[in-house]
Amino acid sequence: MSTEVVMPQMGESIAEGTITKWLKQVGDRVERDEPLFEISTDKVDAEIPSPAAGTLTEIRFKEGDTVEINTTVAVLDGGAVGAVKDAVPTTEDAVAKTETPKAEAVKEPAPEAAEAKAVDAAPREVQVEAAAATGAEVQERDKPQAAAEPEKTSAQPPKPSAKAGAGNGASQQTVAGTGEGKDDQTAEELRRTKSSPLVRRIAQEHGVDIANLEGTGLSGRVTKNDILSFIESGSSAGASATAKSGAPPASTGRSVSGAPAQQAPAPAPLKPGEGDRVEQMTVMRKKIADHMVQSRRTSAHVTTVYEIDMTRIARLREQHKDSFAERTGTKLSFMPFIFQAVNNALRKFPIFNAQVSGDQIVYKRDINLGMAVALDWGLIVPVIKRADDLSISGLARAANDLAERARMKQLKPDEVGGGTFTITNPGVFGGLFGTPIINQPQLAILGVGKIEKRTKVLTTPEGEDYIGIRWLAYFALSFDHRVIDGADAERFLAYLKAQLEAGEFSI
């Protein structure tokens, strides 16, 4: 009995996933729960285990294809192992197969329905040609009625056929529609209008014609990041006007949240020189790029830097690290102390644990600390949920567990979402400090520089100065100046500094 392997839904808001790597090939034996392929979604990269044991007999999508959830991507024990690899369909064919709306069922199929069915069964190029012929026939058949009833015809828009593209707006129809304006489109242009249901819904809600967007997906498909970036740039109104008049969209100059939109001309395509190596961005890298640009466009970034004396924390850690490892089974680093100090600071200054929604500020009840984890293939930010409820040992366990599973691609979608404040630690690579970019929709991010011994001018209780060797580090706080004032940022870091330099933590 064959078993179908489907694209899983990795979270409530996830509508599709991109296959980044097949871990097994056609003909390979697979055990139940053995990793079968890797996917990348808007939230997390993950290894997908096999739902059953058997032989992989069919792979329906190749690496790099973006597939809707619950779509069959492979078959186990399906028979006919030979030459299955050559039968892998392209993403465009798969999208056309899964996204073509079903015609309304009728008891006696009309001739038009039979013709539409025949067109669906034909190759894509044949369908494009058939679209023009079908549209011409419809127009020819409607001419007498239009001449007899000119007022009625002009008052009512033409009804789309049963094959009209649903969800993409009136300007987008499949090739079995009226054919008006489609006879001069290429198969490539028709494929560009294909997108996931989530993208089509977002486009419909904001009045955006997907056909007018430049997609970054395969064959120009418009992805979720494409449509969101377009909307945030303040171009939605222009897109609607373009769909009606065909004129270039006029920029509104403002983003969805009301902030000025930074409109920059698209850079000219770079022509590689002789000997250059061109490498396609991975799915994760493209998402990181989109997220960083979106954050810079959304928030008014300001960064302030404090030098903090970590000597007492270093002594406390050295004193307890061996017994801590024996008691908890995990190592004790500097980060749990920093996490706990940040928790206390967020409770004292709740604006740093808030988010902006339009012209409102939403103060979050829970403190969910995001911790940036560097991977060989990118960056991910798992989240310690309700971090203020955890002790030093609880924070250490949670942080080490999340970091380890992030590197093994075993994180769940809800473990990388819902963060309210993020901490990044470039100091582990030797950096003194940086100016981190805020992780949207949060309002601040803390960067921890290298913790190392340095000389420092100290003062005795009698007021005499001397030079001592201390464990020092620079802490950089980037914050959103739209809602956080500089004075509040200084108070936040000063309070954090006082806690860490006092070193009064219970282990």
Side-chain angles (χ1 to χ4, degrees):
M1 181 178 178
S2 63
T3 301
E4 292 185 343
V5 182
V6 301
M7 174 64 70
Q9 183 172 14
M10 303 295 288
E12 292 183 0
S13 61
I14 302 299
E16 61 186 15
T18 300
I19 299 174
T20 56
K21 185 178 181 180
W22 281 102
L23 304 177
K24 297 292 183 179
Q25 301 301 322
V26 172
D28 291 349
R29 174 70 183 178
V30 184
E31 299 300 328
R32 180 181 176 86
D33 294 330
E34 182 180 1
L36 183 58
F37 61 102
E38 296 178 357
I39 67 170
S40 179
T41 70
D42 291 341
K43 291 186 178 294
V44 69
D45 287 3
E47 290 181 347
I48 305 303
S50 174
T55 300
L56 182 60
T57 55
E58 183 179 0
I59 293 178
R60 297 186 179 179
F61 295 90
K62 59 183 181 294
E63 294 178 359
D65 285 353
T66 299
V67 186
E68 295 181 18
I69 60 172
N70 299 324
T71 301
T72 301
V73 298
V75 178
L76 301 176
D77 293 334
V81 177
V84 175
K85 290 183 180 180
D86 297 334
V88 175
T90 63
T91 302
E92 296 82 0
D93 294 336
V95 169
K97 179 179 179 181
T98 57
E99 293 188 359
T100 302
K102 295 183 179 180
E104 296 181 0
V106 293
K107 295 182 179 180
E108 295 294 335
E112 293 86 348
E115 291 175 5
K117 184 176 181 181
V119 172
D120 285 341
R124 297 290 295 182
E125 292 77 5
V126 176
Q127 292 186 34
V128 173
E129 296 176 1
T134 303
E137 291 173 5
V138 171
Q139 293 176 1
E140 191 68 25
R141 185 176 64 242
D142 291 343
K143 280 183 179 180
Q145 183 178 357
E149 300 176 346
E151 296 182 0
K152 182 177 181 180
T153 303
S154 60
Q156 295 181 355
K159 295 182 179 180
S161 70
K163 286 288 182 178
N168 286 352
S171 62
Q172 178 182 345
Q173 297 179 350
T174 60
V175 291
T178 63
E180 182 178 353
K182 295 296 182 180
D183 53 347
D184 57 346
Q185 279 192 309
T186 65
E188 188 77 10
E189 291 171 335
L190 289 172
R191 282 196 294 267
R192 282 194 54 227
T193 62
K194 290 294 182 183
S195 58
S196 70
L198 176 62
V199 172
R200 293 200 300 272
R201 187 176 73 246
I202 295 174
Q204 186 177 22
E205 290 174 353
H206 293 273
V208 177
D209 184 2
I210 296 179
N212 293 328
L213 303 187
E214 289 293 335
T216 60
L218 196 61
S219 295
R221 278 184 87 225
V222 177
T223 65
K224 177 183 175 184
N225 287 333
D226 294 333
I227 187 69
L228 291 179
S229 298
F230 181 81
I231 292 171
E232 287 160 4
S233 69
S235 301
S236 297
S240 299
T242 302
K244 295 180 180 179
S245 65
S251 173
T252 61
R254 303 192 68 82
S255 65
V256 173
S257 62
Q262 299 179 5
Q263 297 291 343
L270 177 66
K271 184 178 181 180
E274 183 178 355
D276 293 347
R277 181 171 61 91
V278 179
E279 184 177 290
Q280 183 66 29
M281 282 189 183
T282 63
V283 175
M284 173 176 280
R285 176 51 54 193
K286 286 191 289 186
K287 290 173 183 172
I288 293 173
D290 291 342
H291 195 61
M292 295 299 98
V293 173
Q294 175 196 1
S295 181
R296 296 292 294 184
R297 187 167 55 231
T298 301
S299 297
H301 280 69
V302 179
T303 303
T304 183
V305 181
Y306 271 45
E307 184 181 53
I308 297 181
D309 190 337
M310 299 287 289
T311 302
R312 291 186 177 178
I313 298 296
R315 292 172 180 169
L316 189 64
R317 173 177 173 267
E318 185 66 26
Q319 180 182 353
H320 293 280
K321 67 178 183 179
D322 292 336
S323 59
F324 184 87
E326 293 178 2
R327 187 177 78 253
T328 65
T330 190
K331 64 179 182 179
L332 179 63
S333 66
F334 286 98
M335 295 310 295
F337 300 99
I338 297 173
F339 290 154
Q340 193 165 91
V342 168
N343 287 335
N344 296 334
L346 292 175
R347 284 296 177 215
K348 186 174 181 65
F349 303 96
I351 186 61
F352 291 88
N353 197 56
Q355 296 174 3
V356 172
S357 176
D359 58 356
Q360 296 178 329
I361 300 175
V362 180
Y363 292 87
K364 308 299 289 184
R365 180 194 65 183
D366 297 335
I367 294 178
N368 299 330
L369 290 184
M371 42 172 277
V373 176
L375 308 171
D376 292 338
W377 57 91
L379 176 74
I380 197 168
V381 185
V383 178
I384 303 175
K385 299 295 178 67
R386 306 195 71 166
D388 56 326
D389 290 342
L390 301 178
S391 62
I392 292 290
S393 59
L395 290 168
R397 285 196 196 96
N400 293 336
D401 172 64
L402 288 171
E404 181 179 358
R405 288 193 290 114
R407 298 185 180 101
M408 298 174 63
K409 296 184 178 181
Q410 293 181 353
L411 290 176
K412 301 174 182 178
D414 60 351
E415 292 176 322
V416 294
T420 59
F421 186 92
T422 296
I423 300 174
T424 181
N425 183 19
V428 296
F429 301 104
L432 294 180
F433 68 89
T435 55
I437 297 177
I438 298 170
N439 187 14
Q440 296 297 321
Q442 300 167 23
L443 296 182
I445 181 173
L446 180 69
V448 180
K450 183 179 182 180
I451 302 174
E452 61 180 355
K453 290 182 179 179
R454 303 186 202 129
T455 57
K456 184 176 177 64
V457 176
L458 304 172
T459 304
T460 65
E462 292 76 20
E464 297 182 359
D465 293 338
Y466 67 98
I467 295 177
I469 298 177
R470 311 291 290 180
W471 286 91
L472 301 173
Y474 292 108
F475 283 61
L477 178 70
S478 292
F479 59 95
D480 191 341
H481 212 340
R482 293 180 302 166
V483 292
I484 298 178
D485 295 329
D488 289 330
E490 301 301 320
R491 295 187 186 100
F492 181 92
L493 268 184
Y495 183 72
L496 187 69
K497 175 184 173 75
Q499 291 182 83
L500 293 172
E501 292 186 346
E504 297 176 354
F505 293 89
S506 177
I507 300 180

